[in-house]
Amino acid sequence: MLCSIYKTTKKEGAYLYITKKDDFSPVPEELMKTFGKPVFVMVIKMDGRTLALVDIEKVKASLLNDGFFLQVPPIPENLLEKYKEQKAQQK
């Protein structure tokens, strides 16, 4: 299975995976409006590989069922809250 990956200029770390290069027809119109103008990143072969931030099986299932997959960046860790928790545990 081949997959085309696009990034957005609106949100760092957000990527859109689709099954056919430049064919955004399976992607809901509202999502495309939010995503903005897609910037092509690469085409990859999905079989026999892993992805850094997302489970490849989840991506494959979404591509087969929905025709697209949206990868959003993880929520950044709140270092101040983590520090406060550590300080509270030390008391």
Side-chain angles (χ1 to χ4, degrees):
M1 169 188 282
L2 292 177
C3 167
S4 296
I5 303 173
Y6 295 81
K7 67 179 180 178
T8 178
T9 56
K10 290 186 172 187
K11 178 97 172 146
E12 183 73 28
Y15 293 90
L16 182 62
Y17 296 64
I18 55 176
T19 56
K20 193 173 181 184
K21 187 177 181 198
D22 297 332
D23 179 9
F24 299 97
S25 60
V27 183
E29 186 178 326
E30 198 60 37
L31 174 57
M32 287 306 297
K33 287 179 185 176
T34 305
F35 192 79
K37 184 174 169 47
V39 178
F40 178 73
V41 176
M42 69 177 104
V43 173
I44 63 170
K45 185 177 178 182
M46 301 292 281
D47 299 325
R49 78 176 299 142
T50 59
L51 298 172
L53 299 176
V54 63
D55 178 12
I56 194 151
E57 295 305 320
K58 189 175 182 180
V59 176
K60 286 181 183 179
S62 185
L63 289 171
L64 288 172
N65 296 328
D66 305 321
F68 72 96
F69 177 80
L70 178 64
Q71 176 183 321
V72 293
I75 298 170
E77 185 178 15
N78 187 329
L79 297 177
L80 178 59
E81 290 301 319
K82 185 176 181 179
Y83 174 76
K84 287 178 181 178
E85 288 173 13
Q86 289 173 345
K87 289 304 250 182
Q89 290 174 356
Q90 292 174 355
K91 291 182 181 181

